Coordinates of all heavy atoms in Angstrom, one line a residue:
M276 N 15.9 9.3 -1.8 CA 14.6 8.7 -1.9 C 13.9 8.8 -0.6 O 14.5 8.6 0.5 CB 14.8 7.2 -2.2 CG 15.5 6.9 -3.5 SD 14.4 6.8 -4.8 CE 15.6 6.0 -6.0
P277 N 12.6 9.0 -0.7 CA 11.8 9.1 0.6 C 11.6 7.7 1.1 O 11.5 6.7 0.3 CB 10.5 9.7 0.2 CG 10.4 9.4 -1.3 CD 11.8 9.3 -1.8
R278 N 11.7 7.5 2.4 CA 11.3 6.3 3.0 C 9.8 6.5 3.5 O 9.5 7.5 4.1 CB 12.2 6.0 4.2 CG 12.1 4.7 4.9 CD 13.2 4.6 5.9 NE 12.8 3.8 7.0 CZ 12.9 2.5 7.0 NH1 13.4 1.9 6.0 NH2 12.5 1.8 8.0
Y279 N 9.0 5.6 3.2 CA 7.6 5.8 3.6 C 6.9 4.5 4.0 O 7.3 3.4 3.6 CB 6.8 6.5 2.4 CG 6.9 5.8 1.1 CD1 5.8 5.0 0.7 CD2 8.0 5.8 0.3 CE1 5.8 4.3 -0.5 CE2 8.0 5.1 -0.9 CZ 6.9 4.3 -1.3 OH 7.0 3.6 -2.5
E280 N 5.8 4.7 4.7 CA 5.0 3.6 5.2 C 3.6 3.7 4.6 O 3.0 4.7 4.6 CB 4.8 3.8 6.8 CG 5.6 2.8 7.6 CD 5.5 3.0 9.0 OE1 4.4 3.5 9.5 OE2 6.4 2.7 9.7
V281 N 3.1 2.5 4.2 CA 1.8 2.4 3.6 C 1.0 1.5 4.6 O 1.4 0.4 4.8 CB 1.8 1.8 2.2 CG1 0.4 1.8 1.6 CG2 2.7 2.7 1.3
T282 N -0.1 2.0 5.1 CA -0.9 1.2 6.0 C -2.3 1.0 5.5 O -2.9 1.9 4.9 CB -1.0 2.0 7.4 OG1 0.2 2.2 7.9 CG2 -1.8 1.1 8.4
I283 N -2.8 -0.2 5.5 CA -4.2 -0.5 5.2 C -4.9 -0.9 6.5 O -4.5 -1.9 7.1 CB -4.3 -1.7 4.2 CG1 -3.6 -1.4 2.9 CG2 -5.8 -1.9 3.9 CD1 -3.5 -2.6 2.0
E284 N -5.9 -0.2 6.9 CA -6.7 -0.5 8.1 C -7.7 -1.5 7.7 O -8.6 -1.2 6.9 CB -7.3 0.7 8.7 CG -6.3 1.7 9.3 CD -5.6 1.2 10.5 OE1 -6.1 0.2 11.2 OE2 -4.6 1.8 10.9
K285 N -7.6 -2.8 8.2 CA -8.5 -3.8 7.7 C -10.0 -3.5 8.0 O -10.9 -3.9 7.2 CB -8.1 -5.2 8.3 CG -6.8 -5.6 7.7 CD -6.4 -7.0 8.1 CE -5.1 -7.4 7.5 NZ -4.6 -8.7 7.9
D286 N -10.3 -2.9 9.2 CA -11.6 -2.6 9.5 C -12.3 -1.7 8.5 O -13.5 -1.8 8.2 CB -11.7 -1.8 10.9 CG -11.8 -2.8 12.0 OD1 -11.9 -4.0 11.7 OD2 -11.9 -2.4 13.1
A287 N -11.5 -0.8 7.9 CA -12.0 0.2 7.0 C -12.1 -0.3 5.6 O -12.8 0.2 4.7 CB -11.1 1.5 7.0
C288 N -11.3 -1.4 5.2 CA -11.2 -1.8 3.9 C -12.5 -2.6 3.5 O -12.9 -3.5 4.2 CB -10.0 -2.7 3.7 SG -9.9 -3.4 2.0
D289 N -13.1 -2.3 2.4 CA -14.3 -2.9 1.9 C -14.1 -3.8 0.7 O -15.1 -4.2 0.1 CB -15.3 -1.8 1.6 CG -16.4 -1.7 2.6 OD1 -16.5 -2.6 3.4 OD2 -17.2 -0.7 2.5
G290 N -12.9 -4.0 0.3 CA -12.7 -4.8 -0.8 C -13.2 -4.3 -2.1 O -13.7 -5.0 -3.0
I291 N -13.1 -3.0 -2.3 CA -13.6 -2.3 -3.5 C -12.5 -2.3 -4.6 O -12.8 -2.3 -5.8 CB -14.0 -0.9 -3.2 CG1 -15.1 -0.9 -2.1 CG2 -14.5 -0.2 -4.4 CD1 -15.3 0.4 -1.4
F292 N -11.2 -2.4 -4.2 CA -10.1 -2.5 -5.1 C -9.9 -1.4 -6.1 O -9.3 -1.6 -7.1 CB -10.1 -3.9 -5.7 CG -10.0 -5.0 -4.7 CD1 -11.1 -5.9 -4.6 CD2 -9.0 -5.1 -3.8 CE1 -11.1 -6.9 -3.6 CE2 -8.9 -6.1 -2.9 CZ -10.0 -7.0 -2.8
A293 N -10.2 -0.2 -5.7 CA -9.8 0.9 -6.5 C -8.3 1.1 -6.3 O -7.7 1.7 -7.2 CB -10.5 2.2 -6.0
C294 N -7.8 0.7 -5.2 CA -6.3 0.9 -5.0 C -5.5 0.1 -6.0 O -4.4 0.6 -6.4 CB -6.0 0.5 -3.5 SG -6.6 -1.1 -3.0
L295 N -5.9 -1.1 -6.4 CA -5.1 -1.9 -7.3 C -4.8 -1.2 -8.6 O -3.8 -1.5 -9.2 CB -5.9 -3.2 -7.5 CG -5.7 -4.4 -6.5 CD1 -6.2 -4.0 -5.2 CD2 -6.5 -5.6 -7.0
T296 N -5.8 -0.4 -9.1 CA -5.6 0.2 -10.4 C -4.6 1.4 -10.3 O -4.1 1.8 -11.3 CB -6.9 0.6 -11.0 OG1 -7.5 1.6 -10.1 CG2 -7.9 -0.5 -11.1
R297 N -4.4 1.9 -9.1 CA -3.5 3.0 -9.0 C -2.0 2.6 -8.7 O -1.1 3.3 -9.0 CB -4.0 4.0 -7.9 CG -5.4 4.5 -8.0 CD -5.6 5.0 -9.4 NE -6.8 5.9 -9.4 CZ -8.0 5.6 -9.4 NH1 -8.4 4.3 -9.3 NH2 -9.0 6.4 -9.5
D298 N -1.9 1.5 -7.9 CA -0.6 1.1 -7.5 C -0.6 -0.5 -7.5 O -1.3 -1.1 -6.7 CB -0.3 1.6 -6.1 CG 1.1 1.3 -5.6 OD1 1.7 0.3 -6.1 OD2 1.6 2.0 -4.8
P299 N 0.1 -1.1 -8.4 CA 0.0 -2.6 -8.6 C 0.6 -3.3 -7.4 O 0.6 -4.6 -7.4 CB 0.8 -2.9 -9.9 CG 1.6 -1.6 -10.2 CD 0.9 -0.5 -9.5
R300 N 1.2 -2.6 -6.4 CA 1.7 -3.3 -5.2 C 0.5 -3.7 -4.3 O 0.7 -4.6 -3.4 CB 2.7 -2.5 -4.5 CG 4.0 -2.2 -5.3 CD 4.9 -1.2 -4.6 NE 4.3 0.1 -4.6 CZ 4.9 1.2 -4.1 NH1 6.1 1.0 -3.6 NH2 4.3 2.4 -4.2
F301 N -0.6 -3.2 -4.5 CA -1.8 -3.6 -3.8 C -2.4 -4.8 -4.5 O -2.5 -4.8 -5.7 CB -2.9 -2.5 -3.8 CG -2.5 -1.3 -2.9 CD1 -1.6 -0.3 -3.3 CD2 -2.9 -1.3 -1.6 CE1 -1.3 0.7 -2.5 CE2 -2.6 -0.2 -0.7 CZ -1.7 0.8 -1.2
V302 N -2.8 -5.8 -3.7 CA -3.3 -7.1 -4.3 C -4.5 -7.5 -3.5 O -4.7 -7.1 -2.3 CB -2.2 -8.2 -4.3 CG1 -1.1 -7.8 -5.3 CG2 -1.7 -8.5 -3.0
E303 N -5.3 -8.4 -4.1 CA -6.4 -8.9 -3.3 C -6.0 -10.1 -2.5 O -5.4 -11.1 -3.0 CB -7.5 -9.4 -4.3 CG -8.7 -9.9 -3.5 CD -9.9 -10.2 -4.5 OE1 -9.8 -9.9 -5.7 OE2 -10.9 -10.7 -3.9
G304 N -6.2 -10.1 -1.2 CA -5.9 -11.2 -0.3 C -6.9 -12.3 -0.3 O -8.0 -12.1 -0.8
A305 N -6.6 -13.4 0.3 CA -7.5 -14.5 0.4 C -8.8 -14.2 1.1 O -9.8 -14.8 0.9 CB -6.8 -15.7 1.0
D306 N -8.7 -13.2 2.0 CA -9.8 -12.8 2.8 C -10.7 -11.7 2.1 O -11.7 -11.2 2.7 CB -9.4 -12.2 4.2 CG -8.4 -11.0 4.0 OD1 -8.1 -10.6 2.9 OD2 -7.9 -10.6 5.1
G307 N -10.4 -11.4 0.8 CA -11.2 -10.5 0.1 C -10.8 -9.0 0.4 O -11.5 -8.1 -0.1
L308 N -9.8 -8.8 1.2 CA -9.4 -7.4 1.5 C -8.0 -7.2 0.8 O -7.4 -8.1 0.4 CB -9.2 -7.3 3.0 CG -10.5 -7.6 3.8 CD1 -10.2 -7.4 5.3 CD2 -11.7 -6.7 3.4
A309 N -7.7 -5.9 0.8 CA -6.5 -5.5 0.1 C -5.3 -5.9 0.9 O -5.3 -5.8 2.2 CB -6.5 -4.0 -0.2
K310 N -4.2 -6.3 0.3 CA -2.9 -6.6 0.9 C -1.9 -5.8 0.1 O -2.1 -5.4 -1.0 CB -2.6 -8.1 0.9 CG -3.6 -8.9 1.6 CD -2.9 -10.1 2.3 CE -3.8 -10.9 3.2 NZ -4.6 -10.0 4.1
I311 N -0.6 -5.8 0.6 CA 0.5 -5.2 -0.1 C 1.5 -6.3 -0.4 O 1.9 -6.9 0.5 CB 1.1 -4.0 0.7 CG1 0.0 -3.0 0.9 CG2 2.2 -3.4 -0.1 CD1 0.4 -1.9 1.9
D312 N 1.9 -6.4 -1.7 CA 2.9 -7.4 -2.0 C 3.9 -6.6 -2.9 O 3.7 -6.3 -4.0 CB 2.3 -8.5 -2.9 CG 3.3 -9.5 -3.3 OD1 4.5 -9.3 -3.1 OD2 2.9 -10.5 -3.9
P313 N 5.1 -6.3 -2.3 CA 6.1 -5.6 -3.0 C 6.5 -6.2 -4.3 O 6.9 -5.5 -5.3 CB 7.3 -5.5 -2.0 CG 6.7 -5.7 -0.7 CD 5.5 -6.6 -0.9
G314 N 6.4 -7.5 -4.4 CA 6.8 -8.2 -5.6 C 5.8 -8.4 -6.7 O 6.0 -9.0 -7.7
A315 N 4.6 -7.8 -6.4 CA 3.4 -8.1 -7.3 C 3.5 -7.2 -8.6 O 2.8 -7.5 -9.5 CB 2.1 -7.8 -6.6
D316 N 4.3 -6.2 -8.6 CA 4.3 -5.3 -9.7 C 5.0 -6.0 -10.9 O 6.2 -6.4 -10.8 CB 5.0 -4.0 -9.4 CG 4.9 -3.0 -10.5 OD1 4.9 -3.3 -11.6 OD2 4.7 -1.8 -10.1
P317 N 4.3 -6.2 -12.0 CA 4.9 -7.0 -13.1 C 6.0 -6.1 -13.8 O 6.8 -6.7 -14.6 CB 3.8 -7.3 -14.0 CG 2.7 -6.3 -13.7 CD 2.9 -5.9 -12.3
V318 N 6.0 -4.8 -13.7 CA 6.9 -4.0 -14.5 C 8.1 -3.6 -13.7 O 9.2 -3.7 -14.2 CB 6.1 -2.7 -14.9 CG1 7.0 -1.8 -15.7 CG2 4.9 -3.1 -15.7
Y319 N 8.0 -3.2 -12.4 CA 9.2 -2.8 -11.7 C 9.5 -3.8 -10.6 O 8.6 -4.3 -9.9 CB 8.9 -1.5 -11.0 CG 8.6 -0.3 -11.9 CD1 7.2 0.1 -12.1 CD2 9.5 0.3 -12.6 CE1 6.9 1.1 -12.9 CE2 9.2 1.4 -13.5 CZ 7.9 1.7 -13.6 OH 7.6 2.8 -14.4
D320 N 10.8 -4.1 -10.4 CA 11.1 -4.8 -9.2 C 11.0 -3.8 -8.0 O 11.5 -2.7 -8.1 CB 12.6 -5.2 -9.3 CG 12.7 -6.6 -9.9 OD1 11.7 -7.3 -9.9 OD2 13.8 -7.0 -10.4
C321 N 10.5 -4.3 -7.0 CA 10.2 -3.4 -5.9 C 10.6 -4.1 -4.6 O 10.2 -5.3 -4.4 CB 8.7 -3.0 -5.9 SG 8.4 -1.7 -4.7
E322 N 11.3 -3.5 -3.7 CA 11.6 -4.1 -2.4 C 11.0 -3.4 -1.3 O 10.9 -2.1 -1.3 CB 13.2 -4.1 -2.2 CG 13.8 -4.8 -3.3 CD 15.2 -5.3 -2.9 OE1 15.6 -5.1 -1.7 OE2 15.8 -6.0 -3.7
G323 N 10.5 -4.1 -0.4 CA 9.9 -3.5 0.8 C 9.6 -4.5 1.8 O 9.6 -5.7 1.5
S324 N 9.3 -4.1 3.0 CA 9.0 -5.1 4.1 C 7.5 -4.9 4.4 O 7.0 -3.8 4.4 CB 9.8 -4.9 5.3 OG 9.6 -3.6 5.9
V325 N 6.8 -6.0 4.8 CA 5.4 -5.9 5.0 C 5.1 -6.6 6.4 O 5.6 -7.8 6.6 CB 4.6 -6.6 3.9 CG1 3.1 -6.5 4.2 CG2 4.9 -6.0 2.6
D326 N 4.4 -6.0 7.2 CA 3.9 -6.6 8.5 C 2.4 -6.7 8.3 O 1.7 -5.7 7.9 CB 4.1 -5.7 9.7 CG 5.6 -5.9 10.2 OD1 6.1 -7.0 10.1 OD2 6.1 -4.9 10.6
D327 N 1.8 -7.9 8.5 CA 0.4 -8.1 8.3 C -0.2 -8.8 9.6 O 0.2 -9.9 9.9 CB 0.2 -9.0 7.1 CG -1.2 -9.1 6.7 OD1 -2.1 -8.8 7.5 OD2 -1.4 -9.5 5.5
D328 N -1.0 -8.0 10.3 CA -1.6 -8.7 11.5 C -3.1 -8.6 11.4 O -3.7 -8.2 10.4 CB -1.0 -8.1 12.8 CG -1.4 -6.6 13.0 OD1 -2.4 -6.2 12.4 OD2 -0.7 -6.0 13.8
A329 N -3.8 -8.9 12.5 CA -5.3 -8.9 12.4 C -5.9 -7.6 12.1 O -7.0 -7.5 11.5 CB -5.8 -9.5 13.8
E330 N -5.2 -6.5 12.5 CA -5.8 -5.2 12.3 C -5.4 -4.4 11.1 O -6.2 -3.7 10.5 CB -5.5 -4.4 13.6 CG -6.4 -4.7 14.7 CD -5.8 -4.4 16.1 OE1 -4.9 -3.6 16.2 OE2 -6.2 -5.2 17.0
R331 N -4.1 -4.6 10.7 CA -3.7 -3.7 9.6 C -2.5 -4.4 8.9 O -1.8 -5.3 9.4 CB -3.3 -2.4 10.1 CG -2.2 -2.3 11.2 CD -2.0 -0.9 11.7 NE -3.2 -0.4 12.3 CZ -3.5 -0.6 13.6 NH1 -2.7 -1.2 14.4 NH2 -4.6 -0.1 14.1
V332 N -2.3 -3.9 7.7 CA -1.1 -4.2 6.9 C -0.2 -3.0 6.9 O -0.7 -1.9 6.6 CB -1.5 -4.6 5.5 CG1 -0.2 -4.9 4.7 CG2 -2.5 -5.7 5.4
V333 N 1.0 -3.1 7.3 CA 2.0 -2.0 7.2 C 3.2 -2.4 6.3 O 3.9 -3.3 6.7 CB 2.4 -1.6 8.6 CG1 3.4 -0.3 8.5 CG2 1.3 -1.2 9.5
A334 N 3.4 -1.6 5.3 CA 4.5 -1.9 4.4 C 5.4 -0.7 4.4 O 5.0 0.5 4.4 CB 4.0 -2.1 3.0
T335 N 6.7 -0.9 4.4 CA 7.7 0.1 4.4 C 8.5 0.0 3.1 O 9.0 -1.0 2.7 CB 8.7 0.0 5.6 OG1 7.9 -0.1 6.8 CG2 9.6 1.2 5.7
F336 N 8.6 1.2 2.4 CA 9.3 1.2 1.1 C 10.4 2.3 1.2 O 10.2 3.3 1.9 CB 8.4 1.5 0.0 CG 7.4 0.4 -0.3 CD1 6.1 0.5 0.2 CD2 7.8 -0.7 -0.9 CE1 5.2 -0.5 -0.1 CE2 6.9 -1.8 -1.2 CZ 5.6 -1.7 -0.8
D337 N 11.3 2.2 0.3 CA 12.4 3.1 0.2 C 12.7 3.3 -1.3 O 13.7 2.8 -1.8 CB 13.6 2.5 1.0 CG 14.7 3.5 1.2 OD1 14.6 4.7 0.7 OD2 15.7 3.2 1.8
D338 N 11.8 4.0 -2.0 CA 11.9 4.1 -3.4 C 11.3 5.4 -3.9 O 10.9 6.2 -3.1 CB 11.3 2.8 -4.1 CG 9.9 2.6 -3.7 OD1 9.2 3.6 -3.4 OD2 9.5 1.4 -3.7
D339 N 11.1 5.5 -5.2 CA 10.6 6.7 -5.8 C 9.1 6.6 -6.1 O 8.6 7.3 -7.0 CB 11.4 7.2 -7.0 CG 11.4 6.1 -8.1 OD1 10.8 5.0 -7.9 OD2 12.0 6.4 -9.1
R340 N 8.4 5.7 -5.4 CA 7.0 5.5 -5.8 C 6.0 5.9 -4.8 O 4.9 5.4 -4.7 CB 6.8 4.0 -6.1 CG 7.8 3.6 -7.2 CD 7.7 2.1 -7.5 NE 6.5 1.9 -8.2 CZ 6.0 0.7 -8.4 NH1 6.7 -0.4 -8.1 NH2 4.8 0.5 -9.0
L341 N 6.4 6.9 -4.0 CA 5.6 7.4 -2.9 C 4.3 8.0 -3.6 O 3.2 7.8 -3.0 CB 6.3 8.5 -2.2 CG 5.6 9.4 -1.2 CD1 5.0 8.6 -0.1 CD2 6.5 10.5 -0.7
E342 N 4.4 8.6 -4.7 CA 3.3 9.3 -5.3 C 2.2 8.2 -5.8 O 1.0 8.4 -5.6 CB 3.7 10.1 -6.5 CG 2.7 11.1 -7.0 CD 2.1 11.9 -5.8 OE1 2.8 12.4 -4.9 OE2 0.9 12.1 -5.9
E343 N 2.7 7.1 -6.2 CA 1.7 6.0 -6.6 C 0.9 5.5 -5.4 O -0.3 5.3 -5.4 CB 2.4 4.8 -7.2 CG 2.7 4.9 -8.7 CD 3.5 3.7 -9.1 OE1 3.0 2.6 -9.3 OE2 4.7 3.9 -9.3
A344 N 1.7 5.4 -4.3 CA 1.0 4.9 -3.0 C 0.0 6.0 -2.6 O -1.1 5.7 -2.2 CB 2.0 4.7 -1.9
R345 N 0.4 7.3 -2.8 CA -0.6 8.3 -2.4 C -1.8 8.3 -3.3 O -2.9 8.6 -2.8 CB 0.1 9.7 -2.5 CG 1.1 9.9 -1.4 CD 1.4 11.4 -1.2 NE 2.1 11.7 0.0 CZ 3.2 12.4 0.1 NH1 3.8 12.9 -0.9 NH2 3.8 12.6 1.3
Q346 N -1.6 8.0 -4.6 CA -2.8 8.0 -5.5 C -3.7 6.8 -5.1 O -4.9 7.0 -5.1 CB -2.3 7.8 -6.9 CG -1.8 9.1 -7.5 CD -1.3 8.9 -8.9 OE1 -1.6 8.0 -9.6 NE2 -0.5 9.9 -9.3
A347 N -3.1 5.7 -4.7 CA -4.0 4.6 -4.2 C -4.8 5.0 -3.0 O -6.0 4.7 -2.8 CB -3.1 3.4 -3.9
A348 N -4.1 5.7 -2.1 CA -4.8 6.2 -0.8 C -5.9 7.2 -1.2 O -7.0 7.1 -0.6 CB -3.8 6.9 0.1
T349 N -5.7 8.0 -2.1 CA -6.7 9.0 -2.5 C -7.9 8.3 -3.2 O -9.0 8.7 -3.0 CB -6.1 10.0 -3.5 OG1 -5.0 10.7 -2.9 CG2 -7.1 11.1 -3.9
A350 N -7.6 7.2 -4.0 CA -8.6 6.5 -4.7 C -9.5 5.7 -3.8 O -10.6 5.3 -4.1 CB -8.0 5.6 -5.7
C351 N -9.0 5.3 -2.6 CA -9.8 4.4 -1.7 C -11.0 5.2 -1.2 O -10.9 6.2 -0.5 CB -8.9 4.0 -0.5 SG -9.8 3.0 0.6
P352 N -12.2 4.6 -1.5 CA -13.4 5.4 -1.1 C -13.7 5.3 0.4 O -14.5 6.1 0.9 CB -14.5 4.6 -1.9 CG -14.0 3.3 -2.3 CD -12.5 3.5 -2.3
T353 N -13.0 4.4 1.1 CA -13.3 4.3 2.6 C -12.1 4.9 3.4 O -12.1 4.8 4.6 CB -13.5 2.9 3.0 OG1 -12.3 2.1 2.8 CG2 -14.6 2.2 2.2
D354 N -11.1 5.5 2.7 CA -10.0 6.1 3.4 C -9.3 5.0 4.3 O -8.8 5.3 5.4 CB -10.3 7.3 4.3 CG -10.7 8.5 3.4 OD1 -10.2 8.6 2.3 OD2 -11.5 9.3 3.9
A355 N -9.2 3.8 3.8 CA -8.5 2.7 4.5 C -7.0 2.8 4.4 O -6.3 2.1 5.2 CB -9.0 1.4 4.0
I356 N -6.5 3.5 3.5 CA -5.0 3.6 3.2 C -4.4 4.9 3.8 O -5.0 5.9 3.4 CB -4.7 3.4 1.7 CG1 -5.4 2.2 1.2 CG2 -3.2 3.4 1.5 CD1 -5.3 2.1 -0.4
V357 N -3.4 4.7 4.5 CA -2.7 5.9 5.0 C -1.2 5.8 4.5 O -0.6 4.7 4.7 CB -2.7 6.0 6.6 CG1 -1.8 7.2 7.0 CG2 -4.1 6.1 7.1
V358 N -0.7 6.9 3.9 CA 0.7 6.9 3.5 C 1.4 8.0 4.2 O 1.0 9.1 4.2 CB 0.7 7.2 1.9 CG1 2.2 7.2 1.5 CG2 -0.1 6.1 1.2
E359 N 2.5 7.6 4.8 CA 3.3 8.6 5.6 C 4.8 8.5 5.3 O 5.3 7.4 5.3 CB 3.1 8.3 7.1 CG 1.8 8.8 7.7 CD 1.8 8.4 9.2 OE1 2.2 7.3 9.5 OE2 1.3 9.3 9.9
E360 N 5.4 9.6 5.2 CA 6.9 9.6 5.1 C 7.4 9.4 6.5 O 6.9 9.9 7.4 CB 7.4 10.9 4.5 CG 7.2 11.0 3.0 CD 8.0 12.2 2.4 OE1 9.3 12.1 2.5 OE2 7.4 13.1 1.8
V361 N 8.5 8.6 6.5 CA 9.1 8.3 7.8 C 10.6 8.6 7.7 O 11.2 8.6 6.6 CB 8.9 6.9 8.3 CG1 7.4 6.6 8.6 CG2 9.4 5.9 7.3
D362 N 11.3 8.8 8.8 CA 12.7 9.1 8.8 C 13.5 7.8 8.4 O 13.1 6.7 8.8 CB 13.2 9.5 10.2 CG 12.6 10.9 10.5 OD1 12.3 11.7 9.6 OD2 12.5 11.2 11.7
G363 N 14.5 8.0 7.7 CA 15.3 6.9 7.3 C 16.2 6.3 8.4 O 16.1 6.6 9.5
Ligands
SF4_270 S1 -9.6 0.8 -2.4 FE1 -9.6 0.9 -0.1 S2 -11.5 -0.3 0.4 FE2 -10.9 -0.8 -1.7 S3 -9.6 -2.7 -1.5 FE3 -8.3 -0.9 -1.6 S4 -7.9 -0.4 0.6 FE4 -9.7 -1.7 0.5

């Protein structure tokens, strides 16, 4: 399984939420911007760690859903989402 990091740059996020429809791990946060919640997917159990600071949300996953995260990144009109494979 690929290990990968999903980053949302808060400055770039406009709260358009195209990402949510591509990957249910993206959720709307209280601030109106996208967040990542590994447990938000109602269909699949998903484990991952999330760091959330003033500038960005960075989530690390180790599963077979890299392509979904990539689709969310592609759907984001402001290119706020970056998906990168990382070494295990
Ligand atoms: S699609 Fe992009 S701009 Fe819209 S909420 Fe998701 S990350 Fe933010």
